[in-house]
Amino acid sequence: MYNTVTVEEVVSAIRRAIAAAQNHELRYYAITFTWSNIVIVPLVKGKSLDGTARRFSSILFSVDRGEDTFGQCNFVPVAIPSNAFSQLELSTWTYPRLLVGQKLTGLLFHLSLLVSHRREFEKLPELDEQGHELLQQYIQRLTTPMGEIFQAVLDTETEMLNYFKQLSPSEQENRPHLTTVVQGLAELQEQILPTADCSRDGRIQLTMNLPEVAEWANRLESIQQSVFSMYLFWVSDVLEEV
């Protein structure tokens, strides 16, 4: 696989560079006035994989609140406008099989955001009867999209596994990056299950209490980096194949 630098590592490098300058009010205004946003465009062999970037308010780099400075929502990818693509002379890899890996990472990230949002309900003060009823209605509205996204994750995993299975044994042996993806998918299937028994009669069951939701949210957050690494192995296999 190609040498990689994650977005998180780039963010840390930028923070260290800014922190090296003396911390005073003028620095704060110089950073926020000159660069209102700092944009990171991930590239593989000089091209974008999906035409997205990570955009950060420069204010986040001029203050330091420790690990709470950058939340998960700060790393949500945003589409790069076509005119900016042209100005920066960027191009995108367009191989169809890349879309499968992108779909998996996107779905898991979206699922993680939804579950993390639901976890925040633990912080609510004690509710009266009306408040509890409103909360249950809101939770129910979240349950349907969570179940749909979770099922889409499972379907995408199956699609990736089926691609590997259709190869001959000799082809499988000559695709080490793809083999690594298959191994990662086997581990992922265990890690992303909401509970030990989340399926009943072939249907996904996401009726969970708040402690179970919190535990699931923590697991989904903890595997984001390993999922991204697995995606890069998938990318490596695609680009080597073509």
Side-chain angles (χ1 to χ4, degrees):
M1 187 170 66
Y2 309 106
N3 292 330
T4 60
V5 177
T6 65
V7 173
E8 289 79 4
E9 290 172 328
V10 175
V11 168
S12 296
I14 295 173
R15 292 183 66 182
R16 290 195 300 271
I18 292 176
Q22 185 177 358
N23 187 9
H24 50 64
E25 192 172 358
L26 178 60
R27 186 194 74 164
Y28 170 83
Y29 286 111
I31 293 172
T32 55
F33 179 78
T34 306
W35 306 288
S36 59
N37 290 291
I38 295 175
V39 179
I40 300 173
V41 183
L43 301 176
V44 174
K45 300 182 70 175
K47 291 185 179 183
S48 171
L49 289 172
D50 55 6
T52 65
R54 307 299 187 272
R55 182 176 61 198
F56 303 88
S57 170
S58 59
I59 295 176
L60 295 176
F61 291 92
S62 58
V63 298
D64 188 357
R65 298 196 299 269
E67 295 182 356
D68 296 329
T69 302
F70 293 90
Q72 190 179 18
C73 60
N74 295 122
F75 292 89
V76 175
V78 295
I80 302 174
S82 57
N83 61 330
F85 238 81
S86 300
Q87 292 173 4
L88 296 172
E89 298 183 349
L90 294 174
S91 57
T92 306
W93 293 107
T94 57
Y95 301 114
R97 196 158 60 86
L98 288 175
L99 298 178
V100 182
Q102 292 165 10
K103 182 167 65 173
L104 179 65
T105 55
L107 286 169
L108 279 168
F109 188 78
H110 191 185
L111 180 63
S112 180
L113 288 178
L114 275 178
V115 179
S116 297
H117 171 59
R118 187 169 167 180
R119 177 184 57 190
E120 294 302 306
F121 300 150
E122 280 197 313
K123 301 178 182 178
L124 291 174
E126 185 174 352
L127 302 174
D128 58 18
E129 183 177 349
Q130 183 180 11
H132 182 72
E133 181 180 351
L134 291 173
L135 177 60
Q136 290 304 312
Q137 292 174 1
Y138 182 68
I139 289 176
Q140 185 59 41
R141 289 200 299 271
L142 289 179
T143 299
T144 298
M146 284 170 57
E148 292 174 347
I149 294 172
F150 181 70
Q151 184 61 59
V153 169
L154 299 181
D155 293 342
T156 306
E157 289 181 343
T158 300
E159 183 178 357
M160 298 170 76
L161 288 171
N162 286 341
Y163 175 82
F164 180 77
K165 291 177 181 178
Q166 72 180 6
L167 300 175
S168 67
S170 60
E171 288 177 314
Q172 292 177 358
E173 291 180 2
N174 292 325
R175 306 280 283 275
H177 298 316
L178 192 57
T179 300
T180 301
V181 172
V182 172
Q183 294 170 347
L185 288 174
E187 298 174 0
L188 181 64
Q189 287 180 340
E190 297 295 328
Q191 295 169 330
I192 67 170
L193 291 178
T195 59
D197 182 15
C198 67
S199 180
R200 183 179 302 166
D201 297 330
R203 300 180 61 185
I204 302 302
Q205 302 294 324
L206 291 179
T207 303
M208 306 164 63
N209 57 40
L210 286 179
E212 289 174 330
V213 169
E215 194 276 333
W216 189 28
N218 293 337
R219 275 192 285 117
L220 289 175
E221 289 178 356
S222 68
I223 65 175
Q224 290 300 314
Q225 188 56 55
S226 61
V227 170
F228 183 70
S229 296
M230 184 172 61
Y231 165 60
L232 291 181
F233 277 106
W234 180 265
V235 169
S236 298
D237 177 76
V238 173
L239 297 186
E240 288 188 358
E241 181 189 19
V242 299

